[in-house]
Amino acid sequence: MKKVLVLEDETSIRSFVVINLRRVGYEPIEAGTGMEALERLRENPDIGVALLDIMLPDIDGFEVCRRIRATNQKIGIIMLSARTQEMDKVTGLMTGADDYVTKPFSPAELTARVDALYRRLGDDDQESDTGEIIQGPFKLNTRNRTLEKNGQRIRLTQVEYSIMKMFMDNPGKALSREDILNTVWGRDYFGELKIVDVNIRRLRIKIEDDSTNPTYITTVWGFGYKWGM
């Protein structure tokens, strides 16, 4: 059974999430504090998706996300927050989250987000392409889903890898935010386009010589982004 970590300090909300995840076939692993969540992850290395509340009694969800990403780029991470400020969403994504859901949320919305991340894990497991895409200083290995720049490995999350592959499959082509969202997150994703912009910002920090003056991922104003040497 597919495991989902549920980090939420409010028992009523955690129970609501757990019940609905079980209803659709997931195995929830519960935690009420950030440190407990990290321990549950050590005990269950096969957890595929983590739901992280932001406001916690010990360390906050952003710090939990950072610590997870320090050792695990593959796991899917969704931030849960009662706060609606734009900065919270951006902070969560910049610390390594793949998605965010603002409380209150419907069971259908939450399970759809979890399903989308688990599908990406499935795509990873079923990857049969044994080729490489080489452009400029970059080499994307589509078998083991890794990226190198000038021979140095760049650690990517699932989402970042998917964005890079889309760009390198379409060199010089302007890709709209909607195209990127549909390809990477799925056509049934009903979040905000902002998630594309923040993930591009995070990716630029990793691959550009100067992320404030990008030369590989350039902005097509009012439309989207373009990959070029």
Side-chain angles (χ1 to χ4, degrees):
M1 190 176 291
K2 297 175 179 178
K3 294 181 180 180
V4 178
L5 175 69
V6 182
L7 169 56
E8 169 60 66
D9 65 323
E10 293 189 38
T11 305
S12 59
I13 297 176
R14 190 169 71 242
S15 297
F16 169 77
V17 172
V18 164
I19 289 170
N20 284 284
L21 287 174
R22 284 189 179 134
R23 186 172 292 156
V24 294
Y26 289 108
E27 179 184 346
I29 306 296
E30 299 183 53
T33 68
M35 297 308 294
E36 185 183 0
L38 295 171
E39 182 61 29
R40 296 289 87 77
L41 279 166
R42 283 190 287 270
E43 296 168 351
N44 299 271
D46 55 340
I47 288 173
V49 172
L51 308 178
L52 309 180
D53 187 30
I54 292 177
M55 300 298 291
L56 297 167
D58 52 354
I59 57 176
D60 64 28
F62 300 138
E63 180 60 22
V64 176
C65 184
R66 288 188 193 96
R67 295 191 189 187
I68 293 173
R69 280 291 180 238
T71 59
N72 190 331
Q73 297 294 309
K74 185 175 181 180
I75 189 173
I77 297 177
I78 301 173
M79 305 301 294
L80 306 178
S81 175
R83 299 188 286 182
T84 57
Q85 287 91 339
E86 192 69 22
M87 186 53 64
D88 286 335
K89 299 175 183 178
V90 172
T91 301
L93 293 170
M94 290 302 291
T95 55
D98 298 296
D99 201 355
Y100 56 81
V101 178
T102 301
K103 303 172 189 175
F105 47 79
S106 71
E109 178 184 10
L110 185 63
T111 56
R113 304 292 180 90
V114 173
D115 289 344
L117 287 180
Y118 250 112
R119 275 198 303 274
R120 195 170 296 119
L121 277 176
D123 292 342
D124 190 358
D125 294 338
Q126 297 166 19
E127 184 73 73
S128 59
D129 189 346
T130 59
E132 294 178 341
I133 305 174
I134 300 175
Q135 293 172 9
F138 297 98
K139 180 170 73 173
L140 191 75
N141 186 309
T142 56
R143 178 177 58 81
N144 57 23
R145 300 169 71 92
T146 59
L147 178 70
E148 293 181 2
K149 180 183 180 183
N150 295 319
Q152 298 296 311
R153 178 72 62 86
I154 297 174
R155 298 177 63 186
L156 300 179
T157 67
Q158 299 175 56
V159 165
E160 290 163 352
Y161 168 83
S162 298
I163 293 172
M164 278 299 298
K165 187 172 188 302
M166 185 177 184
F167 278 137
M168 294 180 75
D169 281 339
N170 297 277
K173 179 181 178 182
L175 302 173
S176 71
R177 289 174 174 82
E178 290 83 359
D179 287 339
I180 297 171
L181 190 74
N182 290 336
T183 299
V184 175
W185 281 267
R187 292 189 175 277
D188 56 349
Y189 179 83
F190 45 93
E192 303 173 36
L193 281 174
K194 182 71 175 177
I195 196 171
V196 174
D197 299 322
V198 180
N199 273 276
I200 294 293
R201 187 189 312 175
R202 197 171 72 193
L203 191 53
R204 280 172 167 165
I205 291 171
K206 293 186 176 185
I207 71 165
E208 296 281 356
D209 299 322
D210 177 3
S211 63
T212 63
N213 185 30
T215 57
Y216 301 116
I217 302 175
T218 55
T219 301
V220 181
W221 295 107
F223 183 74
Y225 301 93
K226 183 172 66 174
W227 172 259
M229 296 294 105

